[in-house]
Amino acid sequence: MRRTTNLSKSFPELLQKWNCYVRKFPKVESWIIASDYCLDDKSKPNNVMTFTIFPLDDLNVIKKIISMYLKKDIKDISHISSDAIRYLKTFPYFFSIVFIVKHKNKILDLETSKKNLESWIKGSENWPKDLRKNYKPRLNKFADYLKRKDCDAKTLTDLSLAGNMMSYIVEFLMIKTHAKQIFWISDRDRISSFQDGIIEELVHMCYASLINRRVPELKCFGFVKGDNKNFDYDELIRIPDYISGAVASVDFDKNIIEKDKHQKLFDEAILDNERIFIFEVDVEGTQNILSQIDIRKKDDY
């Protein structure tokens, strides 16, 4: 079986960091991914999407420890404690992949996003009949929505971005760790709730194409909607929330971070963190998104 993935082939440094991280969990076969986004905030210099991977084992213990050190979302605190910094820097149970999206609204226009999403829907025609039957009604409904003149351009762009990025991570986990289960928990926003959570089907189609039958079972992926009334994963989302908030606030061109809490968090917990890997995305469309990503290195920050 071909074991290269889009992420590992393009970014061997990511694979090296991941291998160091995953050695601590040799028996883990199930993973959970929490994501948070800071997009189109005019007060921030960057659009950022962060995906944080946790072992599914001992999840309740992990949640309890997070709540001890990160009691609130980053927007709800004025200062970040030294204990929180030390926790984010040293706690071994999470690995974060961060995407800084450059020129997001210029590059990913409505028509490009529509074409990407429509091609994913068309790809479902090659799925096994029983699997296609389960997804077809929602996909048909979404396809009809894409034909409307009043489409929500921003949300479609965000869906296209999040779907691609999540798919690369799922491919990476399934091939490199032989993952038996992967659950995605997205922040409660339009990406997760739009069109009754259509993002689940979009990711499934996209990563199935990337896997290309290299593993026999593609039903290991599950999506936990952030707007679910029984939603109980705020603690997990708090990790990518802090990372996205800090990275989004850094003006890399001017080397400026306006708020002290973001400055401290970025300088002392994110820079040189072996469990946080940051990409810069600047592409035309998302079909070939990885070919033009550069690792964002700011050792001289």
Side-chain angles (χ1 to χ4, degrees):
M1 180 184 74
R2 182 173 60 86
R3 288 186 47 77
T4 58
T5 69
N6 284 274
L7 288 176
S8 64
K9 181 180 179 180
S10 301
F11 307 103
E13 186 179 349
L14 168 63
L15 182 58
Q16 291 169 10
K17 288 190 174 186
W18 172 261
N19 286 338
C20 289
Y21 163 77
V22 81
R23 285 192 197 107
K24 301 180 181 72
F25 313 103
K27 297 182 180 181
V28 171
E29 295 182 331
S30 299
W31 302 90
I32 195 160
I33 304 172
S35 59
D36 182 82
Y37 325 108
C38 187
L39 300 172
D40 300 304
D41 184 338
K42 294 181 180 179
S43 68
K44 309 283 187 185
N46 302 311
N47 288 301
V48 175
M49 309 179 87
T50 301
F51 299 81
T52 299
I53 305 167
F54 302 87
L56 196 56
D57 295 7
D58 300 321
L59 194 59
N60 288 330
V61 174
I62 294 173
K63 288 167 56 180
K64 184 176 180 179
I65 296 173
I66 292 173
S67 65
M68 290 171 55
Y69 291 98
L70 308 178
K71 295 179 173 60
K72 299 179 180 179
D73 290 352
I74 192 170
K75 67 178 181 295
D76 297 323
I77 64 171
S78 55
H79 302 283
I80 187 164
S81 69
S82 296
D83 285 343
I85 291 292
R86 184 170 60 254
Y87 167 76
L88 289 167
K89 186 73 172 181
T90 63
F91 190 64
Y93 285 89
F94 65 85
F95 187 96
S96 295
I97 298 176
V98 186
F99 298 88
I100 301 174
V101 186
K102 305 292 288 185
H103 309 118
K104 169 178 172 283
N105 294 323
K106 292 183 180 179
I107 294 171
L108 289 172
D109 59 22
L110 177 59
E111 291 306 314
T112 301
S113 297
K114 278 187 175 182
K115 288 178 181 177
N116 290 339
L117 298 169
E118 286 168 351
S119 69
W120 292 355
I121 293 173
K122 186 176 181 180
S124 68
E125 296 171 1
N126 299 320
W127 285 13
K129 185 179 294 185
D130 59 335
L131 188 61
R132 188 170 67 246
K133 181 180 178 181
N134 293 334
Y135 285 94
K136 191 172 182 180
R138 292 174 70 189
L139 289 175
N140 287 343
K141 180 181 177 182
F142 185 57
D144 290 339
Y145 175 83
L146 293 176
K147 297 174 184 177
R148 289 168 45 177
K149 294 183 179 180
D150 60 343
C151 283
D152 183 341
K154 177 188 180 305
T155 300
L156 290 180
T157 294
D158 293 347
L159 283 176
S160 184
L161 278 169
N164 272 278
M165 293 172 186
M166 187 64 197
S167 298
Y168 292 127
I169 296 171
V170 171
E171 180 204 21
F172 182 82
L173 290 176
M174 291 181 70
I175 298 299
K176 292 300 182 184
T177 72
H178 306 289
K180 297 294 190 294
Q181 290 180 306
I182 301 170
F183 295 100
W184 178 23
I185 302 167
S186 178
D187 189 22
R188 285 168 285 188
D189 62 7
R190 289 280 283 170
I191 290 177
S192 61
S193 63
F194 189 70
Q195 288 282 301
D196 195 28
I198 193 67
I199 187 67
E200 177 181 5
E201 278 85 351
L202 299 179
V203 170
H204 200 143
M205 286 184 288
C206 191
Y207 85 72
S209 175
L210 296 175
I211 295 293
N212 195 22
R213 301 180 181 178
R214 284 180 286 167
V215 294
E217 178 60 70
L218 292 179
K219 296 181 182 179
C220 73
F221 175 74
F223 179 60
V224 182
K225 294 180 184 179
D227 58 350
N228 192 308
K229 291 181 180 179
N230 297 318
F231 190 69
D232 190 31
Y233 297 97
D234 282 334
E235 298 92 345
L236 299 182
I237 290 178
R238 204 158 288 151
I239 301 290
D241 170 70
Y242 273 60
I243 295 171
S244 289
V247 175
S249 300
V250 182
D251 189 326
F252 290 106
D253 295 326
K254 298 178 181 178
N255 282 353
I256 295 173
I257 307 178
E258 289 189 2
K259 293 185 178 180
D260 290 341
K261 65 178 180 181
H262 295 137
Q263 175 95 44
K264 184 177 175 116
L265 181 55
F266 185 79
D267 288 348
E268 299 181 23
I270 296 176
L271 273 182
D272 301 319
N273 191 323
E274 289 301 309
R275 291 171 294 98
I276 298 177
F277 201 79
I278 305 178
F279 296 111
E280 184 179 86
V281 183
D282 194 351
V283 294
E284 282 188 28
T286 58
Q287 294 294 341
N288 248 342
I289 195 166
L290 286 177
S291 65
Q292 298 184 45
I293 291 182
D294 294 318
I295 298 170
R296 176 64 108 177
K297 293 184 176 179
K298 283 292 176 181
D299 296 332
D300 59 346
Y301 177 79

